[in-house]
Amino acid sequence: MIKIKKAKTIGFCFGVKRAVDMANKALECDQKIYSLGPIIHNPLVVKKLSQKGIRVIYNIDDIKCGKVLIRSHGIKPSIRKKIKNKGLKILDATCPFVERSHRIVNDIKNKGFHIIIAGEKSHPEIVALAEASGNNMDIVINVKEVKKLKIKTKKILLLAQTTLSKGLYRQITQAAIDKNPFEVRIHNTICNDVAKRQDEVTRLSRIVDLILVIGGKNSANTKRLVQLCKTGGVRAFHLEAEKDLKKNWFKNVKSIGIMSGSSTPDWAVDEVISKVKKIKI
Amino acid sequence: MIKIKKAKTIGFCFGVKRAVDMANKALECDQKIYSLGPIIHNPLVVKKLSQKGIRVIYNIDDIKCGKVLIRSHGIKPSIRKKIKNKGLKILDATCPFVERSHRIVNDIKNKGFHIIIAGEKSHPEIVALAEASGNNMDIVINVKEVKKLKIKTKKILLLAQTTLSKGLYRQITQAAIDKNPFEVRIHNTICNDVAKRQDEVTRLSRIVDLILVIGGKNSANTKRLVQLCKTGGVRAFHLEAEKDLKKNWFKNVKSIGIMSGSSTPDWAVDEVISKVKKIKI
């Protein structure tokens, strides 16, 4: 039988659990709840909540009344204002780690810092933060992009997408320091939980033959975990649910590691494990 | 004849020139000037100034009247206060780069930061700064010492002795970032001039057979330049003046580089070059 090593930090992270709990609790008393974009980057969970009554919308102009659930990735200040101006109620499920980044940006803007965020330009967390900075921040995803930046001031402030890999942020901060400004402020805004999972897959990649990383195909942190496995030199597959498992992955495999992204529910993890246990090699 | 490559950045740095000029100007009108410790770390210059009337003292209690010259490395706040309380006049030759470090420390103390300075515990610049912080900073000189530190708060502030090597500060800042606090503020307090000399010896060490680094034996920045040559894989000698030159250094040497510490006067450099030109190999 295949030996299974399940990561200790697995299933929903604190911020996602909080967001999903808020959605479920709101559904107990109210049936008109809108989520601006999918509440988390996990299609299974989004589908379940949608069946219970959370409607996903992409434009606030599409609704006239009801409660608006702000998803864990946060929201642009201009849209928050628009929701308030329309008299709609806000159910704020912004992850507290993301809120911390907004506080940092709000405190520092207009103080002569060149703000740099390490993250993905199109990720909702970054899109919202960029606007919070007055669209006055550079978004970089690798060292090359940092090297190309023209630093306009003598002071740099750095922060990271909460789900970035620690190793990449380390390289990016070093590249920013190497630009030799008078001052560099580095905020460690990578979520603790994400950092723990990264450490765990790195550890697992040394002791198993294959790692299964369970999570939404649109989940940035899940994709990064898969990438880390590969960097660690181990085969790894990204799957959303047990139905994605393929028998031929397990040829000559004696031990596997199980990890999940931050927005993967425990039951999706358990279903994968049950099915793997039944595989005969 | 030996080919001589003289560094572009050589002789007194801005801060040392300013201090020596202040001392000379003061001597034009006043003959009772005391320097608390040698004004700069160059025995040749200190001797010349002493012949003109600058008396070096080590304890402020030793004098009752006169002007006190504060040397380029700065002074402990408690001693500055003592000088003022005694009614003595101050001639402040503290290097503006050192003053900047004092401003940083004064602005940040009591704000919950764990202050770390990269430098030598016994160097007068560091001794003075440590007191300015309320003796509430850790002084480290290598990565090992950073790793041993117990960080008491979630925020770290880093600064460096103005004459530290850039490469070492880079390693130390990285080790501090790796301690994973919420925030790291890195001040680049290494003097521009020092950084330029470091880049130049590194460049020279690739193209000459031998480097002569001229400077006081008690000069930290000169010692570091010699170290950098050796790290760069080239033979190097630390000498204070032309009298220290040894003929046997030049066996099989076709090209030499000439560099000096920040407190070495131009004439000392010129004397060395003249003598080298006369050496027949």
Side-chain angles (χ1 to χ4, degrees), chain B residues 116-198:
Chain B
I116 301 174
I117 189 158
E120 295 146 299
K121 283 184 181 64
S122 59
H123 192 281
E125 178 185 328
I126 302 300
V127 172
L129 262 175
E131 202 201 63
S133 76
N135 290 313
N136 199 12
M137 59 162 56
D138 276 306
I139 304 158
V140 293
I141 194 60
N142 55 42
V143 167
K144 210 173 148 190
E145 288 183 5
V146 182
K147 284 189 177 167
K148 273 188 200 160
L149 286 183
K150 282 197 180 139
I151 304 300
K152 294 161 280 185
T153 67
K154 286 173 179 167
K155 301 187 288 181
I156 292 178
L157 180 126
L158 270 158
L159 64 169
Q161 188 170 332
T162 53
T163 52
L164 201 75
S165 93
K166 287 194 300 177
L168 178 57
Y169 192 39
R170 193 179 189 274
Q171 289 167 22
I172 286 174
T173 52
Q174 194 57 67
I177 294 170
D178 288 345
K179 291 187 104 61
N180 268 324
F182 275 1
E183 184 182 348
V184 187
R185 290 191 187 179
I186 301 165
H187 287 273
N188 180 3
T189 51
I190 295 175
C191 152
N192 257 347
D193 180 285
V194 167
K196 271 189 202 162
R197 288 175 206 239
Q198 290 170 2

Coordinates of all heavy atoms in Angstrom, one line a residue, chain B residues 116-198:
Chain B
I116 N 19.8 47.3 15.7 CA 21.0 46.5 15.5 C 21.9 47.3 14.7 O 21.5 47.9 13.7 CB 20.7 45.2 14.7 CG1 19.7 44.3 15.5 CG2 22.0 44.4 14.5 CD1 19.3 43.0 14.7
I117 N 23.2 47.5 15.2 CA 24.2 48.2 14.3 C 25.3 47.2 14.0 O 25.7 46.4 14.8 CB 24.7 49.4 15.0 CG1 25.6 50.2 14.0 CG2 25.5 49.1 16.3 CD1 25.7 51.7 14.4
A118 N 25.6 47.2 12.7 CA 26.7 46.4 12.2 C 28.0 47.2 12.3 O 28.1 48.2 11.6 CB 26.4 46.0 10.7
G119 N 28.9 46.8 13.2 CA 30.1 47.5 13.4 C 31.0 47.0 14.5 O 30.6 45.9 15.0
E120 N 32.0 47.7 14.8 CA 33.0 47.2 15.8 C 32.6 47.8 17.2 O 32.6 49.0 17.3 CB 34.4 47.6 15.5 CG 34.9 47.0 14.2 CD 35.8 47.9 13.4 OE1 35.3 49.0 13.1 OE2 37.0 47.6 13.3
K121 N 32.5 46.9 18.2 CA 32.0 47.3 19.5 C 32.9 48.4 20.1 O 32.4 49.3 20.8 CB 32.1 46.1 20.5 CG 30.9 45.2 20.3 CD 30.9 44.1 21.3 CE 29.7 43.1 21.1 NZ 29.7 42.4 19.8
S122 N 34.2 48.4 19.8 CA 35.1 49.3 20.5 C 35.4 50.6 19.7 O 36.1 51.5 20.1 CB 36.4 48.6 20.9 OG 37.0 48.2 19.7
H123 N 34.9 50.7 18.5 CA 35.1 51.9 17.6 C 34.4 53.1 18.2 O 33.3 53.0 18.6 CB 34.7 51.6 16.2 CG 35.2 52.6 15.2 ND1 34.7 53.9 15.1 CD2 36.3 52.6 14.4 CE1 35.3 54.5 14.2 NE2 36.3 53.8 13.7
P124 N 35.1 54.2 18.3 CA 34.5 55.4 18.9 C 33.1 55.8 18.3 O 32.2 56.2 19.0 CB 35.5 56.5 18.7 CG 36.6 56.0 17.8 CD 36.5 54.5 17.9
E125 N 33.0 55.6 17.0 CA 31.7 56.0 16.4 C 30.6 55.1 17.0 O 29.5 55.6 17.3 CB 31.8 55.7 14.8 CG 30.5 56.0 14.1 CD 30.6 55.6 12.6 OE1 31.6 55.7 12.0 OE2 29.5 55.1 12.1
I126 N 30.9 53.8 17.2 CA 29.9 52.9 17.7 C 29.6 53.1 19.2 O 28.5 53.1 19.6 CB 30.3 51.4 17.4 CG1 30.5 51.2 15.9 CG2 29.3 50.4 18.0 CD1 29.3 51.4 15.1
V127 N 30.7 53.4 19.9 CA 30.6 53.6 21.3 C 29.6 54.8 21.6 O 28.7 54.7 22.4 CB 32.0 53.9 22.0 CG1 31.9 54.3 23.4 CG2 32.8 52.6 21.9
A128 N 29.8 55.9 20.8 CA 29.0 57.1 20.9 C 27.5 56.8 20.6 O 26.6 57.1 21.3 CB 29.5 58.2 20.1
L129 N 27.3 56.1 19.4 CA 26.0 55.8 19.0 C 25.2 54.9 20.0 O 24.0 55.0 20.2 CB 26.0 55.0 17.6 CG 25.8 55.9 16.4 CD1 26.0 55.1 15.1 CD2 24.4 56.5 16.4
A130 N 26.0 53.9 20.5 CA 25.3 53.0 21.5 C 24.8 53.8 22.6 O 23.6 53.5 23.1 CB 26.4 52.0 22.0
E131 N 25.5 54.7 23.1 CA 25.0 55.6 24.2 C 23.8 56.4 23.8 O 22.8 56.6 24.5 CB 26.1 56.4 24.8 CG 25.7 56.8 26.3 CD 26.4 58.1 26.8 OE1 26.2 59.2 26.1 OE2 27.1 58.0 27.7
A132 N 23.9 56.9 22.5 CA 22.8 57.7 22.0 C 21.5 56.9 22.0 O 20.4 57.5 22.1 CB 23.1 58.2 20.6
S133 N 21.6 55.6 21.8 CA 20.4 54.8 21.8 C 19.9 54.4 23.2 O 19.0 53.6 23.3 CB 20.7 53.5 21.0 OG 21.4 52.6 21.8
G134 N 20.5 54.9 24.2 CA 20.2 54.6 25.6 C 20.8 53.2 25.9 O 20.2 52.4 26.6
N135 N 21.9 52.9 25.3 CA 22.6 51.6 25.4 C 21.5 50.5 25.1 O 21.5 49.4 25.8 CB 23.2 51.4 26.7 CG 24.5 52.3 26.8 OD1 25.3 52.3 25.9 ND2 24.6 53.0 27.9
N136 N 20.7 50.7 24.1 CA 19.7 49.8 23.8 C 19.8 49.3 22.4 O 18.8 49.4 21.6 CB 18.3 50.5 24.1 CG 17.2 49.4 24.2 OD1 17.5 48.2 24.4 ND2 16.0 49.9 24.2
M137 N 21.0 48.9 22.0 CA 21.2 48.4 20.6 C 22.1 47.2 20.7 O 23.0 47.2 21.6 CB 21.7 49.5 19.7 CG 23.0 50.1 20.0 SD 23.8 51.0 18.6 CE 22.6 52.1 18.1
D138 N 22.0 46.3 19.8 CA 22.9 45.2 19.7 C 24.0 45.5 18.6 O 23.6 46.0 17.5 CB 22.2 43.9 19.3 CG 21.7 43.2 20.6 OD1 22.4 43.0 21.5 OD2 20.4 43.0 20.6
I139 N 25.2 45.3 18.9 CA 26.3 45.6 18.0 C 26.8 44.2 17.5 O 27.2 43.4 18.3 CB 27.5 46.4 18.7 CG1 26.9 47.6 19.3 CG2 28.6 46.7 17.7 CD1 27.8 48.2 20.5
V140 N 26.8 44.1 16.2 CA 27.2 42.8 15.6 C 28.2 43.1 14.5 O 28.2 44.1 13.8 CB 26.0 42.0 14.9 CG1 25.0 41.6 16.0 CG2 25.3 42.9 13.9
I141 N 29.1 42.1 14.3 CA 30.2 42.3 13.3 C 30.2 41.2 12.3 O 30.9 41.2 11.3 CB 31.6 42.5 14.0 CG1 32.6 43.0 13.0 CG2 32.1 41.2 14.7 CD1 32.3 44.3 12.3
N142 N 29.3 40.2 12.5 CA 29.2 39.1 11.5 C 27.8 38.4 11.6 O 27.1 38.7 12.5 CB 30.4 38.1 11.6 CG 30.4 37.5 13.0 OD1 29.4 37.2 13.6 ND2 31.6 37.4 13.6
V143 N 27.6 37.6 10.6 CA 26.3 36.9 10.5 C 26.0 36.0 11.7 O 24.9 35.9 12.2 CB 26.3 36.1 9.2 CG1 25.1 35.1 9.1 CG2 26.2 37.0 8.0
K144 N 27.1 35.3 12.2 CA 27.0 34.4 13.3 C 26.4 35.2 14.5 O 25.5 34.6 15.2 CB 28.4 33.9 13.7 CG 28.4 32.5 14.2 CD 29.9 32.1 14.4 CE 30.0 31.2 15.6 NZ 31.5 30.9 15.9
E145 N 26.9 36.4 14.7 CA 26.3 37.2 15.9 C 24.9 37.5 15.7 O 24.1 37.6 16.6 CB 27.2 38.4 16.1 CG 28.6 38.1 16.7 CD 29.5 39.3 16.9 OE1 29.0 40.5 16.8 OE2 30.6 39.1 17.3
V146 N 24.5 37.8 14.4 CA 23.1 38.1 14.2 C 22.2 36.9 14.5 O 21.2 37.0 15.1 CB 22.8 38.5 12.7 CG1 21.3 38.9 12.5 CG2 23.7 39.7 12.3
K147 N 22.7 35.7 14.0 CA 21.9 34.5 14.2 C 21.7 34.2 15.7 O 20.7 33.7 16.1 CB 22.7 33.3 13.6 CG 22.5 33.3 12.1 CD 23.0 32.1 11.4 CE 22.7 32.1 9.9 NZ 23.5 31.1 9.2
K148 N 22.7 34.6 16.5 CA 22.6 34.3 18.0 C 21.6 35.3 18.7 O 21.1 35.0 19.8 CB 24.0 34.5 18.6 CG 24.8 33.3 18.6 CD 26.1 33.5 19.4 CE 27.2 32.6 19.1 NZ 28.5 33.1 19.5
L149 N 21.3 36.4 18.1 CA 20.5 37.4 18.7 C 19.1 37.0 19.0 O 18.5 36.3 18.2 CB 20.4 38.7 17.8 CG 21.6 39.6 17.7 CD1 21.2 40.8 16.8 CD2 22.0 40.1 19.0
K150 N 18.6 37.3 20.2 CA 17.2 37.1 20.5 C 16.4 38.4 20.2 O 16.6 39.4 20.9 CB 17.0 36.6 21.9 CG 17.4 35.2 22.1 CD 17.0 34.6 23.4 CE 17.4 33.1 23.4 NZ 17.9 32.7 24.7
I151 N 15.6 38.3 19.2 CA 14.8 39.5 18.8 C 13.7 39.7 19.8 O 12.8 38.8 19.9 CB 14.4 39.5 17.4 CG1 15.5 39.3 16.4 CG2 13.6 40.8 17.0 CD1 16.6 40.3 16.5
K152 N 13.7 40.8 20.5 CA 12.7 41.0 21.6 C 11.4 41.6 21.1 O 10.3 41.5 21.7 CB 13.3 42.0 22.6 CG 14.5 41.4 23.4 CD 15.3 42.5 24.0 CE 16.2 43.2 23.1 NZ 17.2 44.1 23.6
T153 N 11.4 42.2 19.9 CA 10.2 42.9 19.4 C 9.9 42.3 18.0 O 10.6 41.5 17.5 CB 10.4 44.4 19.3 OG1 11.3 44.6 18.3 CG2 10.8 45.0 20.6
K154 N 8.8 42.9 17.4 CA 8.5 42.4 16.1 C 9.0 43.3 15.0 O 8.7 43.1 13.8 CB 6.9 42.3 16.0 CG 6.4 41.1 16.7 CD 4.9 41.1 16.8 CE 4.4 39.9 17.6 NZ 3.0 39.9 17.9
K155 N 9.8 44.3 15.4 CA 10.3 45.2 14.4 C 11.8 45.4 14.7 O 12.3 45.6 15.8 CB 9.6 46.6 14.6 CG 8.1 46.5 14.4 CD 7.5 47.8 14.4 CE 7.4 48.5 15.7 NZ 6.7 49.8 15.7
I156 N 12.6 45.4 13.6 CA 14.0 45.5 13.7 C 14.5 46.8 12.9 O 13.9 47.0 11.8 CB 14.8 44.3 13.1 CG1 14.5 43.0 13.9 CG2 16.3 44.5 12.9 CD1 15.2 41.8 13.3
L157 N 15.4 47.5 13.5 CA 16.0 48.6 12.7 C 17.5 48.3 12.6 O 18.1 48.0 13.6 CB 15.8 50.0 13.4 CG 16.4 51.1 12.6 CD1 15.4 52.2 12.3 CD2 17.6 51.7 13.3
L158 N 18.0 48.4 11.4 CA 19.4 48.2 11.2 C 20.1 49.4 10.6 O 19.6 50.1 9.8 CB 19.5 47.1 10.1 CG 19.5 45.6 10.5 CD1 19.1 44.8 9.4 CD2 20.9 45.2 11.0
L159 N 21.3 49.6 11.2 CA 22.2 50.6 10.6 C 23.6 50.1 10.7 O 23.9 49.0 11.3 CB 22.0 52.0 11.1 CG 22.3 52.3 12.6 CD1 22.3 53.9 12.7 CD2 21.3 51.7 13.6
A160 N 24.5 50.7 10.0 CA 25.9 50.3 9.9 C 26.9 51.3 10.3 O 26.6 52.5 10.1 CB 26.2 49.8 8.5
Q161 N 28.0 50.9 10.8 CA 29.2 51.8 11.0 C 29.4 52.5 9.6 O 29.4 51.8 8.6 CB 30.3 51.0 11.5 CG 31.6 51.8 11.9 CD 32.6 50.9 12.6 OE1 32.3 49.9 13.2 NE2 33.9 51.3 12.5
T162 N 29.7 53.8 9.6 CA 29.8 54.5 8.3 C 30.9 53.9 7.4 O 30.9 54.1 6.2 CB 30.1 56.0 8.5 OG1 31.2 56.1 9.3 CG2 28.9 56.7 9.1
T163 N 31.9 53.2 8.1 CA 33.0 52.7 7.3 C 33.0 51.2 7.1 O 34.0 50.5 6.7 CB 34.3 53.1 8.0 OG1 34.2 52.6 9.4 CG2 34.6 54.5 8.0
L164 N 31.8 50.6 7.4 CA 31.7 49.1 7.2 C 31.8 48.7 5.7 O 31.5 49.5 4.8 CB 30.4 48.6 7.8 CG 30.3 47.1 8.1 CD1 31.1 46.9 9.4 CD2 28.9 46.6 8.3
S165 N 32.2 47.4 5.4 CA 32.2 47.0 4.0 C 30.7 46.7 3.6 O 29.9 46.1 4.4 CB 33.1 45.8 3.8 OG 32.4 44.6 3.9
K166 N 30.4 47.1 2.4 CA 29.0 47.0 1.9 C 28.7 45.5 1.8 O 27.5 45.1 2.2 CB 29.0 47.5 0.4 CG 29.0 49.0 0.3 CD 28.6 49.4 -1.1 CE 29.5 48.8 -2.2 NZ 29.1 49.2 -3.6
G167 N 29.6 44.6 1.4 CA 29.3 43.2 1.3 C 29.0 42.6 2.7 O 28.0 41.8 2.8
L168 N 29.7 43.0 3.7 CA 29.4 42.5 5.1 C 28.0 43.0 5.5 O 27.2 42.2 6.1 CB 30.5 42.9 6.0 CG 30.3 42.5 7.5 CD1 30.2 41.0 7.6 CD2 31.5 43.0 8.3
Y169 N 27.7 44.2 5.3 CA 26.4 44.8 5.7 C 25.3 44.0 5.0 O 24.2 43.7 5.6 CB 26.4 46.3 5.4 CG 25.2 47.0 6.1 CD1 24.7 46.6 7.4 CD2 24.5 48.0 5.4 CE1 23.7 47.3 8.0 CE2 23.4 48.7 6.0 CZ 23.0 48.3 7.3 OH 21.9 48.9 7.9
R170 N 25.5 43.7 3.7 CA 24.5 43.0 2.9 C 24.2 41.7 3.6 O 23.1 41.3 3.8 CB 25.1 42.8 1.5 CG 24.1 42.3 0.5 CD 24.8 42.2 -0.9 NE 23.9 42.0 -2.0 CZ 23.5 40.7 -2.3 NH1 23.9 39.7 -1.7 NH2 22.7 40.6 -3.4
Q171 N 25.3 41.0 4.0 CA 25.1 39.7 4.6 C 24.4 39.8 6.0 O 23.5 39.0 6.3 CB 26.5 39.0 4.9 CG 27.2 38.5 3.7 CD 28.7 38.2 4.0 OE1 29.0 37.9 5.2 NE2 29.5 38.2 3.0
I172 N 24.7 40.8 6.7 CA 24.1 41.0 8.1 C 22.7 41.4 7.9 O 21.8 40.9 8.7 CB 25.0 42.1 8.8 CG1 26.3 41.4 9.3 CG2 24.2 42.7 10.0 CD1 27.3 42.4 10.0
T173 N 22.3 42.3 7.0 CA 20.9 42.6 6.8 C 20.1 41.4 6.4 O 19.0 41.2 6.9 CB 20.7 43.7 5.7 OG1 21.4 43.3 4.5 CG2 21.3 45.1 6.2
Q174 N 20.7 40.6 5.5 CA 19.9 39.4 5.1 C 19.7 38.5 6.3 O 18.6 37.9 6.4 CB 20.7 38.7 4.0 CG 19.9 37.6 3.2 CD 18.6 38.2 2.6 OE1 18.7 39.0 1.7 NE2 17.5 37.9 3.1
A175 N 20.7 38.3 7.1 CA 20.5 37.4 8.3 C 19.4 38.0 9.2 O 18.7 37.3 9.9 CB 21.9 37.3 9.1
A176 N 19.3 39.3 9.3 CA 18.3 40.0 10.2 C 16.9 39.7 9.6 O 16.0 39.4 10.3 CB 18.6 41.5 10.3
I177 N 16.8 39.9 8.2 CA 15.5 39.6 7.5 C 15.1 38.2 7.8 O 13.9 37.9 8.0 CB 15.6 39.9 6.0 CG1 15.9 41.4 5.8 CG2 14.4 39.5 5.3 CD1 16.3 41.8 4.3
D178 N 16.1 37.3 7.8 CA 15.8 35.9 7.9 C 15.3 35.5 9.3 O 14.8 34.4 9.6 CB 17.0 35.0 7.6 CG 17.3 35.0 6.1 OD1 16.4 35.4 5.3 OD2 18.4 34.6 5.7
K179 N 15.3 36.5 10.3 CA 14.8 36.2 11.6 C 13.3 36.5 11.6 O 12.6 36.3 12.6 CB 15.5 37.1 12.6 CG 16.9 36.7 12.8 CD 17.6 37.5 14.0 CE 17.8 36.7 15.2 NZ 18.6 35.5 15.2
N180 N 12.8 36.9 10.4 CA 11.3 36.9 10.1 C 10.5 37.8 11.1 O 9.4 37.4 11.5 CB 10.7 35.5 10.2 CG 10.7 34.8 8.9 OD1 10.4 35.5 7.9 ND2 10.9 33.6 8.9
P181 N 11.0 39.0 11.3 CA 10.1 39.9 12.1 C 9.0 40.5 11.2 O 9.1 40.3 10.0 CB 11.1 41.0 12.5 CG 12.1 41.1 11.4 CD 12.2 39.7 10.9
F182 N 8.1 41.2 11.8 CA 7.0 41.8 10.9 C 7.6 42.9 10.0 O 7.1 43.1 8.9 CB 5.9 42.5 11.8 CG 4.9 41.5 12.3 CD1 5.0 40.1 11.9 CD2 3.8 41.9 13.1 CE1 4.0 39.2 12.3 CE2 2.9 41.0 13.5 CZ 3.0 39.6 13.1
E183 N 8.6 43.7 10.6 CA 9.1 44.8 9.8 C 10.6 44.9 10.0 O 11.1 44.7 11.1 CB 8.4 46.1 10.2 CG 8.9 47.3 9.4 CD 8.3 48.6 9.8 OE1 7.3 48.6 10.6 OE2 8.8 49.6 9.4
V184 N 11.3 45.2 8.9 CA 12.8 45.4 9.1 C 13.0 46.8 8.4 O 12.7 46.9 7.2 CB 13.7 44.4 8.4 CG1 15.1 44.6 8.7 CG2 13.3 43.0 8.8
R185 N 13.6 47.7 9.1 CA 14.0 49.0 8.5 C 15.5 49.0 8.3 O 16.2 48.8 9.3 CB 13.6 50.2 9.3 CG 12.1 50.4 9.4 CD 11.8 51.7 10.0 NE 10.3 51.7 10.1 CZ 9.7 52.7 10.7 NH1 10.3 53.8 11.1 NH2 8.4 52.7 10.8
I186 N 16.0 49.1 7.1 CA 17.4 49.1 6.8 C 17.9 50.4 6.4 O 17.4 51.0 5.4 CB 17.8 48.0 5.7 CG1 17.3 46.7 6.2 CG2 19.2 48.0 5.4 CD1 17.2 45.7 5.0
H187 N 18.8 51.0 7.2 CA 19.3 52.3 6.8 C 20.7 52.1 6.2 O 21.5 51.4 6.8 CB 19.4 53.3 8.0 CG 18.1 53.8 8.4 ND1 17.5 54.9 7.9 CD2 17.2 53.3 9.3 CE1 16.3 55.1 8.4 NE2 16.1 54.2 9.3
N188 N 20.9 52.6 5.0 CA 22.2 52.5 4.4 C 23.1 53.7 4.9 O 23.1 54.8 4.3 CB 22.1 52.6 2.9 CG 23.4 52.5 2.2 OD1 24.4 52.3 2.9 ND2 23.4 52.6 0.9
T189 N 23.8 53.5 6.0 CA 24.5 54.5 6.6 C 26.0 54.4 6.3 O 26.8 55.1 6.9 CB 24.3 54.5 8.2 OG1 24.6 53.2 8.6 CG2 22.9 54.9 8.6
I190 N 26.3 53.5 5.3 CA 27.7 53.5 4.9 C 28.0 54.7 4.0 O 27.3 55.0 3.1 CB 28.0 52.2 4.1 CG1 27.8 51.0 5.1 CG2 29.4 52.1 3.6 CD1 27.9 49.6 4.4
C191 N 29.1 55.4 4.4 CA 29.5 56.6 3.7 C 29.8 56.3 2.2 O 30.4 55.3 1.9 CB 30.7 57.2 4.4 SG 31.8 58.1 3.4
N192 N 29.3 57.2 1.4 CA 29.4 57.1 -0.1 C 30.9 56.9 -0.5 O 31.2 56.1 -1.3 CB 29.0 58.4 -0.7 CG 27.6 58.2 -1.3 OD1 27.2 57.1 -1.5 ND2 27.1 59.4 -1.7
D193 N 31.7 57.7 0.1 CA 33.1 57.7 -0.2 C 33.8 56.4 0.1 O 34.5 55.8 -0.7 CB 33.8 58.8 0.6 CG 35.3 58.9 0.4 OD1 36.0 58.1 0.9 OD2 35.7 59.9 -0.3
V194 N 33.4 55.8 1.3 CA 33.9 54.5 1.7 C 33.5 53.4 0.7 O 34.3 52.6 0.3 CB 33.4 54.2 3.1 CG1 33.6 52.7 3.5 CG2 34.1 55.0 4.2
A195 N 32.2 53.5 0.3 CA 31.7 52.5 -0.6 C 32.4 52.6 -2.0 O 32.7 51.6 -2.6 CB 30.2 52.8 -0.8
K196 N 32.7 53.8 -2.4 CA 33.4 54.0 -3.7 C 34.8 53.4 -3.6 O 35.3 52.7 -4.5 CB 33.6 55.5 -4.0 CG 32.4 56.1 -4.8 CD 32.8 57.5 -5.2 CE 31.6 58.4 -5.5 NZ 31.9 59.8 -5.5
R197 N 35.5 53.6 -2.5 CA 36.9 53.1 -2.3 C 36.8 51.5 -2.3 O 37.7 50.9 -2.9 CB 37.5 53.5 -1.0 CG 37.9 55.0 -1.1 CD 38.4 55.5 0.3 NE 38.2 57.0 0.3 CZ 39.2 57.9 0.5 NH1 40.4 57.5 0.6 NH2 38.9 59.2 0.5
Q198 N 35.8 51.0 -1.7 CA 35.6 49.5 -1.7 C 35.5 49.0 -3.1 O 36.1 48.0 -3.5 CB 34.5 49.1 -0.8 CG 34.7 49.4 0.7 CD 33.5 49.2 1.6 OE1 32.4 48.9 1.1 NE2 33.6 49.4 2.9

